[in-house]
Amino acid sequence: MKIAVVGTGYVGLVTGVCLAEVNHDVICIDTDLQKIKNMEQGISPIYEPGLEELMVKNINKGNLKFTNIHVEGFKNAEVIIIAVGTPQMPDGSANLQYIEAVAKSIAEYVTKDVIVVTKSTVPVGTNDFVRQVILDNLKCDVNVKVASNPEFLREGSAIVDTFQGDRIVIGTQDEETASILEMMYEPFGLPIFKTDIYSSEMIKYASNAFLATKISFINEVSNICEKLGANVEDVANGMGFDNRIGRAFLNAGIGYGGSCFPKDTHALVQIAGGVHHDFELLKSVIEVNNKQQRLLVDKIKARFENPEGKTVAMLGLAFKPNTDDMREAASSVLARELIQLGMKVIAYDPIAIENAKTQLPQQVIYANSSEEALKQSDFALIVTEWDEFKQMDLGKLQEWLTEPILFDGRNCFTLEQAKNAGIEYHSMGRPSIMLENKVSIN
Ligand SMILES: NC(=O)C1=CN([C@@H]2O[C@H](COP(=O)(O)OP(=O)(O)OC[C@H]3O[C@@H](n4cnc5c(N)ncnc54)[C@H](O)[C@@H]3O)[C@@H](O)[C@H]2O)C=CC1
Ligand SMILES: O=C(O)[C@H]1O[C@H](OP(=O)(O)OP(=O)(O)OC[C@H]2O[C@@H](n3ccc(=O)[nH]c3=O)[C@H](O)[C@@H]2O)[C@H](O)[C@@H](O)[C@@H]1O
C-alpha cells in the first residue's frame, strides 16, 4: 500500500519505518529540511533503540523515502497518516495549528481519492474539524475519507510497541475505510478494535489519563508509606498480584514527565471543561504529580541543614530511560530548584545531554560519565533509571563522593544493596538507610 506519513517525530518516523518494514511503500514528510537531509542519509533525528537500523534497512530496500515537499509526498498516497505535534497551549488545551496546516496542505495537493488518518493525539471532534478544513479547501474533485487511529507507543520501546502493541484502534463508521486500514495493519498481526471516531479520540486521552492516575496514586501511597515505615515496592508487588489491578505503572518515583502524560492530562481536563464537566480526579492527579516532581528537593532540605554551597551529582536527565527526550523532565524542575538553593549541579545522562542543554539552567555543569560527575560532588541524586546507573557499583560512592549519600528518585537499588555498600540511601516510599550516628529522616 502507498502511504504518506506527515511529521517525522517519535510517532511519525517510527510508524513510517515500521510500515515500510512490513513492505508498504512509505514516504515520510516533514517541514524540517535538515531532518529530511539527515534521514535520507540514514541518520535518525531522535534516539530510539533499533530505529536507525530499521530505517537504513528500508531505505536500502527502496520502500522508505523522505521529502519536505508535501505535494511530492501526497502524489501517490492511498493513505495519509497525520503524526504532527499537538503541544499544550497556555490554558492546557491542545494546540491544533500543525494539524490544521497539514489538513490545508492535503486539501491543496491531493489529486486522487485518499484516506486521511489522524494518529496525533487530538481532542474529541478534531477529526470532524480536519474533514471540514479539507472539504473547505479542496482543489481537486476527489473523495477524502477521514479516520482516527491513535497511537499508544512509548518512547524508548517504540519499535517493540509498534510490532507487539496491545491493540490498534481504528475510529471510523465507514466500512470501506475500516477495511483498508485493517489491511494496512494486517501484517502486524495485532488485535484491532474498531469504533466510532469520537470514541477512538477519547480512548487515547482516557488511556493516558488512566496511566497517569495509576502513577499519581502509587506516589501518594508511597508518600504515606514513608511516614508509616512501610515499603511501597512490596505494597505495589502485593497489589499487582491482583489481575484487576496489575503491577504495571505502579512504580513510585518522582512523578511522570515526557511529551504526553503532562499535556494529555491537561488537555482532557480542558476537553471535560468544554462540556461543563469538572474532572476533579484528573486535576488531583496533575497536582500530585507537580508536587512529586520536586520531592527530592524537599528530602535534600530535610537532610541538610544548609545545602547552600554543596555540589550534587545529578544522574539522569531524560524524562525516562532509553530516550533523549527532555520534554517535561523532572530533571528540569529539580535543577532549577537546587540552583535556587545555592547548590552546584553536575549533571550526566548517557544520551540526553545535548537536549538538556536547551532546557536546564545555564549554571548546570555537564560531565562525560557518572564517575566524572560523582568524583566532583558532595552527594548524588538519581533522576532517571538508566541501566548503567542500576548496574553501578554502589560501594564506589564511598570513595568518589565527599559524603556517601544517595537520593534515589527511581528506587534503582534494593535496601540490602544500599546497606551492603555502606552508603546513606534515601529512596521513594521506603525506609532510609542511615550510617552510624545518623537518624532516619522518615
Ligand atoms: N511521543 C510519543 O511517544 C507519542 C506521541 N503521540 C502523539 O503523536 C503526535 C506527535 O508526537 P511526536 O512524534 O512526539 O511529535 P514531535 O514533536 O516529535 O514531531 C512532530 C514532527 O512534525 C513535524 N511537522 C510539524 N508541522 C508539519 C507539517 N505541516 N508538515 C510536515 N511535518 C510537520 C515537525 O517538524 C516534527 O518533526 C502528538 O499528538 C503526540 O501527542 C502519541 C503517542 C506517543
Ligand atoms: O501518548 C504518548 O505519548 C505515550 O505516553 C506514554 O509513553 P511515554 O510517555 O513514552 O513513557 P511511559 O513509559 O509511559 O512513561 C511516562 C512517564 O511516567 C513515569 N512512570 C511510568 C511508569 C511508572 O510506573 N512510574 C512512573 O513514574 C516515567 O518515568 C515517565 O516519566 C504511554 O505509556 C504511551 O502508551 C503513550 O502512547
Side-chain angles (χ1 to χ4, degrees), residues 121 151-155 204 208 211 215 219 248-251 253 255-261 264 319-320 385 410:
T121 302
E151 178 54 59
F152 300 97
L153 63 77
R154 289 163 300 175
E155 290 179 23
K204 175 63 197 176
N208 274 2
L211 292 171
I215 297 170
N219 282 335
F249 277 69
L250 287 181
N251 293 321
Y256 59 78
S259 65
C260 291
F261 286 172
D264 292 346
F319 83 95
K320 62 182 265 188
E385 68 277 33
R410 298 293 184 182

PDB file of all heavy atoms in Angstrom, residues 121 151-155 204 208 211 215 219 248-251 253 255-261 264 319-320 385 410, ligand 2:
ATOM      1  N   THR A 121      -2.393  12.779  18.820  1.00  0.00           N
ATOM      2  CA  THR A 121      -3.389  12.787  19.893  1.00  0.00           C
ATOM      3  C   THR A 121      -4.196  14.077  19.804  1.00  0.00           C
ATOM      4  O   THR A 121      -3.633  15.172  19.947  1.00  0.00           O
ATOM      5  CB  THR A 121      -2.686  12.692  21.257  1.00  0.00           C
ATOM      6  OG1 THR A 121      -1.899  11.492  21.258  1.00  0.00           O
ATOM      7  CG2 THR A 121      -3.675  12.671  22.407  1.00  0.00           C
ATOM      8  N   GLU A 151      -2.239   6.580  18.630  1.00  0.00           N
ATOM      9  CA  GLU A 151      -1.009   5.801  18.799  1.00  0.00           C
ATOM     10  C   GLU A 151      -0.754   5.564  20.281  1.00  0.00           C
ATOM     11  O   GLU A 151      -0.965   6.450  21.098  1.00  0.00           O
ATOM     12  CB  GLU A 151       0.152   6.596  18.182  1.00  0.00           C
ATOM     13  CG  GLU A 151       1.489   5.932  18.317  1.00  0.00           C
ATOM     14  CD  GLU A 151       1.489   4.512  17.787  1.00  0.00           C
ATOM     15  OE1 GLU A 151       1.194   4.323  16.594  1.00  0.00           O
ATOM     16  OE2 GLU A 151       1.778   3.580  18.553  1.00  0.00           O
ATOM     17  N   PHE A 152      -0.250   4.361  20.600  1.00  0.00           N
ATOM     18  CA  PHE A 152      -0.023   4.014  22.008  1.00  0.00           C
ATOM     19  C   PHE A 152       1.431   3.666  22.316  1.00  0.00           C
ATOM     20  O   PHE A 152       1.741   3.167  23.393  1.00  0.00           O
ATOM     21  CB  PHE A 152      -0.937   2.852  22.415  1.00  0.00           C
ATOM     22  CG  PHE A 152      -2.399   3.171  22.252  1.00  0.00           C
ATOM     23  CD1 PHE A 152      -3.089   2.778  21.111  1.00  0.00           C
ATOM     24  CD2 PHE A 152      -3.071   3.909  23.212  1.00  0.00           C
ATOM     25  CE1 PHE A 152      -4.427   3.101  20.931  1.00  0.00           C
ATOM     26  CE2 PHE A 152      -4.413   4.244  23.051  1.00  0.00           C
ATOM     27  CZ  PHE A 152      -5.101   3.835  21.911  1.00  0.00           C
ATOM     28  N   LEU A 153       2.348   3.918  21.348  1.00  0.00           N
ATOM     29  CA  LEU A 153       3.743   3.525  21.601  1.00  0.00           C
ATOM     30  C   LEU A 153       4.347   4.374  22.713  1.00  0.00           C
ATOM     31  O   LEU A 153       3.893   5.478  23.004  1.00  0.00           O
ATOM     32  CB  LEU A 153       4.592   3.639  20.326  1.00  0.00           C
ATOM     33  CG  LEU A 153       4.792   5.001  19.660  1.00  0.00           C
ATOM     34  CD1 LEU A 153       5.808   5.867  20.384  1.00  0.00           C
ATOM     35  CD2 LEU A 153       5.239   4.796  18.230  1.00  0.00           C
ATOM     36  N   ARG A 154       5.367   3.800  23.356  1.00  0.00           N
ATOM     37  CA  ARG A 154       6.128   4.536  24.376  1.00  0.00           C
ATOM     38  C   ARG A 154       7.501   4.868  23.808  1.00  0.00           C
ATOM     39  O   ARG A 154       8.077   4.050  23.061  1.00  0.00           O
ATOM     40  CB  ARG A 154       6.349   3.659  25.614  1.00  0.00           C
ATOM     41  CG  ARG A 154       5.127   3.404  26.433  1.00  0.00           C
ATOM     42  CD  ARG A 154       5.354   2.232  27.355  1.00  0.00           C
ATOM     43  NE  ARG A 154       5.660   1.027  26.584  1.00  0.00           N
ATOM     44  CZ  ARG A 154       6.009  -0.139  27.114  1.00  0.00           C
ATOM     45  NH1 ARG A 154       6.131  -0.276  28.398  1.00  0.00           N
ATOM     46  NH2 ARG A 154       6.245  -1.182  26.330  1.00  0.00           N
ATOM     47  N   GLU A 155       8.025   6.004  24.166  1.00  0.00           N
ATOM     48  CA  GLU A 155       9.390   6.334  23.759  1.00  0.00           C
ATOM     49  C   GLU A 155      10.337   5.363  24.454  1.00  0.00           C
ATOM     50  O   GLU A 155      10.106   4.954  25.586  1.00  0.00           O
ATOM     51  CB  GLU A 155       9.718   7.774  24.126  1.00  0.00           C
ATOM     52  CG  GLU A 155       8.938   8.744  23.264  1.00  0.00           C
ATOM     53  CD  GLU A 155       9.191  10.198  23.598  1.00  0.00           C
ATOM     54  OE1 GLU A 155      10.248  10.517  24.170  1.00  0.00           O
ATOM     55  OE2 GLU A 155       8.324  11.022  23.268  1.00  0.00           O
ATOM     56  N   LYS A 204      -7.758   7.413  23.461  1.00  0.00           N
ATOM     57  CA  LYS A 204      -6.352   7.834  23.632  1.00  0.00           C
ATOM     58  C   LYS A 204      -6.181   8.665  24.909  1.00  0.00           C
ATOM     59  O   LYS A 204      -5.303   8.394  25.728  1.00  0.00           O
ATOM     60  CB  LYS A 204      -5.908   8.633  22.397  1.00  0.00           C
ATOM     61  CG  LYS A 204      -4.521   9.212  22.504  1.00  0.00           C
ATOM     62  CD  LYS A 204      -3.459   8.121  22.625  1.00  0.00           C
ATOM     63  CE  LYS A 204      -2.163   8.689  23.136  1.00  0.00           C
ATOM     64  NZ  LYS A 204      -1.142   7.673  23.351  1.00  0.00           N
ATOM     65  N   ASN A 208      -4.152   7.476  28.471  1.00  0.00           N
ATOM     66  CA  ASN A 208      -3.027   8.199  29.089  1.00  0.00           C
ATOM     67  C   ASN A 208      -3.406   8.738  30.468  1.00  0.00           C
ATOM     68  O   ASN A 208      -2.604   8.690  31.398  1.00  0.00           O
ATOM     69  CB  ASN A 208      -2.562   9.345  28.181  1.00  0.00           C
ATOM     70  CG  ASN A 208      -1.553   8.861  27.143  1.00  0.00           C
ATOM     71  OD1 ASN A 208      -1.236   7.680  27.094  1.00  0.00           O
ATOM     72  ND2 ASN A 208      -1.044   9.762  26.326  1.00  0.00           N
ATOM     73  N   LEU A 211      -3.319   5.885  33.006  1.00  0.00           N
ATOM     74  CA  LEU A 211      -1.941   5.507  33.384  1.00  0.00           C
ATOM     75  C   LEU A 211      -1.337   6.570  34.309  1.00  0.00           C
ATOM     76  O   LEU A 211      -0.670   6.244  35.293  1.00  0.00           O
ATOM     77  CB  LEU A 211      -1.078   5.322  32.124  1.00  0.00           C
ATOM     78  CG  LEU A 211      -1.473   4.113  31.252  1.00  0.00           C
ATOM     79  CD1 LEU A 211      -0.733   4.133  29.918  1.00  0.00           C
ATOM     80  CD2 LEU A 211      -1.192   2.802  31.987  1.00  0.00           C
ATOM     81  N   ILE A 215       0.010   6.249  38.318  1.00  0.00           N
ATOM     82  CA  ILE A 215       1.306   6.731  38.820  1.00  0.00           C
ATOM     83  C   ILE A 215       1.087   7.674  40.010  1.00  0.00           C
ATOM     84  O   ILE A 215       1.734   7.530  41.050  1.00  0.00           O
ATOM     85  CB  ILE A 215       2.104   7.426  37.695  1.00  0.00           C
ATOM     86  CG1 ILE A 215       2.434   6.425  36.576  1.00  0.00           C
ATOM     87  CG2 ILE A 215       3.390   8.031  38.251  1.00  0.00           C
ATOM     88  CD1 ILE A 215       3.002   7.044  35.318  1.00  0.00           C
ATOM     89  N   ASN A 219       2.240   7.090  43.887  1.00  0.00           N
ATOM     90  CA  ASN A 219       3.127   8.080  44.507  1.00  0.00           C
ATOM     91  C   ASN A 219       2.531   8.610  45.816  1.00  0.00           C
ATOM     92  O   ASN A 219       3.259   8.836  46.784  1.00  0.00           O
ATOM     93  CB  ASN A 219       3.427   9.225  43.540  1.00  0.00           C
ATOM     94  CG  ASN A 219       4.467   8.810  42.510  1.00  0.00           C
ATOM     95  OD1 ASN A 219       5.284   7.913  42.759  1.00  0.00           O
ATOM     96  ND2 ASN A 219       4.456   9.439  41.344  1.00  0.00           N
ATOM     97  N   ALA A 248       1.794  -3.190  36.436  1.00  0.00           N
ATOM     98  CA  ALA A 248       2.371  -2.165  35.557  1.00  0.00           C
ATOM     99  C   ALA A 248       1.974  -0.758  35.999  1.00  0.00           C
ATOM    100  O   ALA A 248       0.870  -0.534  36.504  1.00  0.00           O
ATOM    101  CB  ALA A 248       1.898  -2.395  34.123  1.00  0.00           C
ATOM    102  N   PHE A 249       2.895   0.174  35.838  1.00  0.00           N
ATOM    103  CA  PHE A 249       2.665   1.591  36.153  1.00  0.00           C
ATOM    104  C   PHE A 249       2.364   1.837  37.625  1.00  0.00           C
ATOM    105  O   PHE A 249       1.668   2.785  37.978  1.00  0.00           O
ATOM    106  CB  PHE A 249       1.596   2.191  35.223  1.00  0.00           C
ATOM    107  CG  PHE A 249       2.223   2.607  33.925  1.00  0.00           C
ATOM    108  CD1 PHE A 249       2.684   1.649  33.037  1.00  0.00           C
ATOM    109  CD2 PHE A 249       2.429   3.933  33.618  1.00  0.00           C
ATOM    110  CE1 PHE A 249       3.337   2.005  31.863  1.00  0.00           C
ATOM    111  CE2 PHE A 249       3.078   4.310  32.445  1.00  0.00           C
ATOM    112  CZ  PHE A 249       3.527   3.340  31.573  1.00  0.00           C
ATOM    113  N   LEU A 250       2.905   0.966  38.467  1.00  0.00           N
ATOM    114  CA  LEU A 250       2.815   1.196  39.910  1.00  0.00           C
ATOM    115  C   LEU A 250       4.217   1.391  40.484  1.00  0.00           C
ATOM    116  O   LEU A 250       4.479   1.006  41.619  1.00  0.00           O
ATOM    117  CB  LEU A 250       2.098   0.030  40.604  1.00  0.00           C
ATOM    118  CG  LEU A 250       0.586  -0.072  40.385  1.00  0.00           C
ATOM    119  CD1 LEU A 250       0.014  -1.259  41.157  1.00  0.00           C
ATOM    120  CD2 LEU A 250      -0.136   1.214  40.813  1.00  0.00           C
ATOM    121  N   ASN A 251       5.125   1.945  39.679  1.00  0.00           N
ATOM    122  CA  ASN A 251       6.453   2.237  40.205  1.00  0.00           C
ATOM    123  C   ASN A 251       6.456   3.650  40.776  1.00  0.00           C
ATOM    124  O   ASN A 251       6.317   4.630  40.034  1.00  0.00           O
ATOM    125  CB  ASN A 251       7.512   2.121  39.104  1.00  0.00           C
ATOM    126  CG  ASN A 251       7.646   0.687  38.637  1.00  0.00           C
ATOM    127  OD1 ASN A 251       7.589  -0.247  39.443  1.00  0.00           O
ATOM    128  ND2 ASN A 251       7.793   0.496  37.331  1.00  0.00           N
ATOM    129  N   GLY A 253       7.971   7.035  42.233  1.00  0.00           N
ATOM    130  CA  GLY A 253       9.171   7.753  41.807  1.00  0.00           C
ATOM    131  C   GLY A 253       8.978   9.241  41.956  1.00  0.00           C
ATOM    132  O   GLY A 253       8.287   9.690  42.882  1.00  0.00           O
ATOM    133  N   GLY A 255       7.450  11.139  39.843  1.00  0.00           N
ATOM    134  CA  GLY A 255       6.348  11.618  39.010  1.00  0.00           C
ATOM    135  C   GLY A 255       6.561  11.336  37.528  1.00  0.00           C
ATOM    136  O   GLY A 255       7.645  10.963  37.099  1.00  0.00           O
ATOM    137  N   TYR A 256       5.496  11.519  36.776  1.00  0.00           N
ATOM    138  CA  TYR A 256       5.581  11.300  35.326  1.00  0.00           C
ATOM    139  C   TYR A 256       5.999  12.589  34.628  1.00  0.00           C
ATOM    140  O   TYR A 256       5.657  13.694  35.044  1.00  0.00           O
ATOM    141  CB  TYR A 256       4.258  10.771  34.758  1.00  0.00           C
ATOM    142  CG  TYR A 256       3.059  11.669  34.987  1.00  0.00           C
ATOM    143  CD1 TYR A 256       2.833  12.796  34.210  1.00  0.00           C
ATOM    144  CD2 TYR A 256       2.144  11.387  35.987  1.00  0.00           C
ATOM    145  CE1 TYR A 256       1.727  13.618  34.422  1.00  0.00           C
ATOM    146  CE2 TYR A 256       1.036  12.206  36.216  1.00  0.00           C
ATOM    147  CZ  TYR A 256       0.846  13.312  35.421  1.00  0.00           C
ATOM    148  OH  TYR A 256      -0.234  14.120  35.634  1.00  0.00           O
ATOM    149  N   GLY A 257       6.779  12.420  33.558  1.00  0.00           N
ATOM    150  CA  GLY A 257       7.137  13.557  32.706  1.00  0.00           C
ATOM    151  C   GLY A 257       6.887  13.156  31.270  1.00  0.00           C
ATOM    152  O   GLY A 257       6.047  12.294  30.998  1.00  0.00           O
ATOM    153  N   GLY A 258       7.613  13.786  30.341  1.00  0.00           N
ATOM    154  CA  GLY A 258       7.507  13.398  28.941  1.00  0.00           C
ATOM    155  C   GLY A 258       6.572  14.295  28.158  1.00  0.00           C
ATOM    156  O   GLY A 258       5.934  15.201  28.688  1.00  0.00           O
ATOM    157  N   SER A 259       6.491  13.971  26.868  1.00  0.00           N
ATOM    158  CA  SER A 259       5.757  14.855  25.970  1.00  0.00           C
ATOM    159  C   SER A 259       4.260  14.591  26.026  1.00  0.00           C
ATOM    160  O   SER A 259       3.488  15.322  25.435  1.00  0.00           O
ATOM    161  CB  SER A 259       6.259  14.672  24.543  1.00  0.00           C
ATOM    162  OG  SER A 259       5.966  13.368  24.109  1.00  0.00           O
ATOM    163  N   CYS A 260       3.833  13.533  26.718  1.00  0.00           N
ATOM    164  CA  CYS A 260       2.412  13.185  26.588  1.00  0.00           C
ATOM    165  C   CYS A 260       1.587  13.205  27.859  1.00  0.00           C
ATOM    166  O   CYS A 260       0.557  13.864  27.896  1.00  0.00           O
ATOM    167  CB  CYS A 260       2.283  11.866  25.847  1.00  0.00           C
ATOM    168  SG  CYS A 260       2.762  12.102  24.132  1.00  0.00           S
ATOM    169  N   PHE A 261       1.988  12.480  28.910  1.00  0.00           N
ATOM    170  CA  PHE A 261       1.122  12.456  30.107  1.00  0.00           C
ATOM    171  C   PHE A 261       0.827  13.874  30.612  1.00  0.00           C
ATOM    172  O   PHE A 261      -0.339  14.201  30.858  1.00  0.00           O
ATOM    173  CB  PHE A 261       1.734  11.612  31.224  1.00  0.00           C
ATOM    174  CG  PHE A 261       1.656  10.120  30.998  1.00  0.00           C
ATOM    175  CD1 PHE A 261       2.310   9.238  31.847  1.00  0.00           C
ATOM    176  CD2 PHE A 261       0.929   9.593  29.948  1.00  0.00           C
ATOM    177  CE1 PHE A 261       2.244   7.878  31.656  1.00  0.00           C
ATOM    178  CE2 PHE A 261       0.854   8.222  29.736  1.00  0.00           C
ATOM    179  CZ  PHE A 261       1.515   7.368  30.604  1.00  0.00           C
ATOM    180  N   ASP A 264      -1.427  15.624  27.922  1.00  0.00           N
ATOM    181  CA  ASP A 264      -2.710  14.970  27.651  1.00  0.00           C
ATOM    182  C   ASP A 264      -3.649  15.023  28.858  1.00  0.00           C
ATOM    183  O   ASP A 264      -4.873  15.100  28.694  1.00  0.00           O
ATOM    184  CB  ASP A 264      -2.492  13.520  27.184  1.00  0.00           C
ATOM    185  CG  ASP A 264      -1.828  13.469  25.804  1.00  0.00           C
ATOM    186  OD1 ASP A 264      -1.792  14.511  25.117  1.00  0.00           O
ATOM    187  OD2 ASP A 264      -1.342  12.394  25.407  1.00  0.00           O
ATOM    188  N   PHE A 319      13.344  12.241  30.559  1.00  0.00           N
ATOM    189  CA  PHE A 319      12.149  12.005  31.387  1.00  0.00           C
ATOM    190  C   PHE A 319      11.967  10.535  31.725  1.00  0.00           C
ATOM    191  O   PHE A 319      11.214  10.187  32.632  1.00  0.00           O
ATOM    192  CB  PHE A 319      10.894  12.598  30.733  1.00  0.00           C
ATOM    193  CG  PHE A 319      10.247  11.727  29.680  1.00  0.00           C
ATOM    194  CD1 PHE A 319       9.190  10.884  30.000  1.00  0.00           C
ATOM    195  CD2 PHE A 319      10.675  11.767  28.361  1.00  0.00           C
ATOM    196  CE1 PHE A 319       8.571  10.090  29.037  1.00  0.00           C
ATOM    197  CE2 PHE A 319      10.073  10.964  27.387  1.00  0.00           C
ATOM    198  CZ  PHE A 319       9.021  10.128  27.736  1.00  0.00           C
ATOM    199  N   LYS A 320      12.664   9.668  31.002  1.00  0.00           N
ATOM    200  CA  LYS A 320      12.666   8.231  31.294  1.00  0.00           C
ATOM    201  C   LYS A 320      13.888   7.641  30.589  1.00  0.00           C
ATOM    202  O   LYS A 320      14.495   8.326  29.741  1.00  0.00           O
ATOM    203  CB  LYS A 320      11.372   7.560  30.817  1.00  0.00           C
ATOM    204  CG  LYS A 320      11.159   7.647  29.310  1.00  0.00           C
ATOM    205  CD  LYS A 320       9.853   7.020  28.897  1.00  0.00           C
ATOM    206  CE  LYS A 320      10.050   5.595  28.472  1.00  0.00           C
ATOM    207  NZ  LYS A 320       8.854   4.987  27.886  1.00  0.00           N
ATOM    208  N   GLU A 385      16.179   6.256  35.644  1.00  0.00           N
ATOM    209  CA  GLU A 385      16.694   4.912  35.960  1.00  0.00           C
ATOM    210  C   GLU A 385      17.354   4.228  34.761  1.00  0.00           C
ATOM    211  O   GLU A 385      16.966   3.145  34.336  1.00  0.00           O
ATOM    212  CB  GLU A 385      15.587   4.047  36.587  1.00  0.00           C
ATOM    213  CG  GLU A 385      14.423   3.661  35.679  1.00  0.00           C
ATOM    214  CD  GLU A 385      13.332   4.722  35.555  1.00  0.00           C
ATOM    215  OE1 GLU A 385      13.629   5.924  35.612  1.00  0.00           O
ATOM    216  OE2 GLU A 385      12.169   4.333  35.350  1.00  0.00           O
ATOM    217  N   ARG A 410      14.245   6.937  41.793  1.00  0.00           N
ATOM    218  CA  ARG A 410      13.623   5.878  40.976  1.00  0.00           C
ATOM    219  C   ARG A 410      13.761   4.485  41.569  1.00  0.00           C
ATOM    220  O   ARG A 410      13.572   3.495  40.853  1.00  0.00           O
ATOM    221  CB  ARG A 410      14.234   5.898  39.568  1.00  0.00           C
ATOM    222  CG  ARG A 410      14.020   7.186  38.793  1.00  0.00           C
ATOM    223  CD  ARG A 410      12.571   7.403  38.446  1.00  0.00           C
ATOM    224  NE  ARG A 410      12.394   8.591  37.626  1.00  0.00           N
ATOM    225  CZ  ARG A 410      11.209   9.015  37.219  1.00  0.00           C
ATOM    226  NH1 ARG A 410      10.113   8.385  37.557  1.00  0.00           N
ATOM    227  NH2 ARG A 410      11.116  10.095  36.490  1.00  0.00           N
TER     228      ARG A 410
HETATM  229  O1  LIG B   2       0.842   9.239  24.326  1.00  0.00           O
HETATM  230  C1  LIG B   2       2.023   9.048  24.477  1.00  0.00           C
HETATM  231  O2  LIG B   2       2.902   9.804  24.105  1.00  0.00           O
HETATM  232  C2  LIG B   2       2.522   7.851  25.193  1.00  0.00           C
HETATM  233  O3  LIG B   2       2.670   8.205  26.586  1.00  0.00           O
HETATM  234  C3  LIG B   2       3.213   7.170  27.394  1.00  0.00           C
HETATM  235  O4  LIG B   2       4.512   6.791  26.935  1.00  0.00           O
HETATM  236  P1  LIG B   2       5.841   7.610  27.316  1.00  0.00           P
HETATM  237  O5  LIG B   2       5.490   8.983  27.752  1.00  0.00           O
HETATM  238  O6  LIG B   2       6.774   7.430  26.185  1.00  0.00           O
HETATM  239  O7  LIG B   2       6.503   6.854  28.542  1.00  0.00           O
HETATM  240  P2  LIG B   2       5.984   5.992  29.780  1.00  0.00           P
HETATM  241  O8  LIG B   2       6.782   4.756  29.837  1.00  0.00           O
HETATM  242  O9  LIG B   2       4.532   5.847  29.797  1.00  0.00           O
HETATM  243  O10 LIG B   2       6.431   6.909  30.998  1.00  0.00           O
HETATM  244  C4  LIG B   2       5.873   8.194  31.189  1.00  0.00           C
HETATM  245  C5  LIG B   2       6.353   8.766  32.497  1.00  0.00           C
HETATM  246  O11 LIG B   2       5.781   8.059  33.588  1.00  0.00           O
HETATM  247  C6  LIG B   2       6.795   7.677  34.509  1.00  0.00           C
HETATM  248  N1  LIG B   2       6.395   6.399  35.144  1.00  0.00           N
HETATM  249  C7  LIG B   2       5.988   5.353  34.402  1.00  0.00           C
HETATM  250  C8  LIG B   2       5.581   4.179  34.992  1.00  0.00           C
HETATM  251  C9  LIG B   2       5.592   4.060  36.380  1.00  0.00           C
HETATM  252  O12 LIG B   2       5.228   3.026  36.978  1.00  0.00           O
HETATM  253  N2  LIG B   2       6.010   5.127  37.107  1.00  0.00           N
HETATM  254  C10 LIG B   2       6.407   6.299  36.535  1.00  0.00           C
HETATM  255  O13 LIG B   2       6.775   7.249  37.255  1.00  0.00           O
HETATM  256  C11 LIG B   2       8.053   7.558  33.669  1.00  0.00           C
HETATM  257  O14 LIG B   2       9.202   7.710  34.467  1.00  0.00           O
HETATM  258  C12 LIG B   2       7.867   8.704  32.702  1.00  0.00           C
HETATM  259  O15 LIG B   2       8.324   9.906  33.269  1.00  0.00           O
HETATM  260  C13 LIG B   2       2.294   5.938  27.305  1.00  0.00           C
HETATM  261  O16 LIG B   2       2.856   4.874  28.080  1.00  0.00           O
HETATM  262  C14 LIG B   2       2.122   5.500  25.864  1.00  0.00           C
HETATM  263  O17 LIG B   2       1.211   4.408  25.801  1.00  0.00           O
HETATM  264  C15 LIG B   2       1.576   6.668  25.050  1.00  0.00           C
HETATM  265  O18 LIG B   2       1.470   6.307  23.687  1.00  0.00           O
END
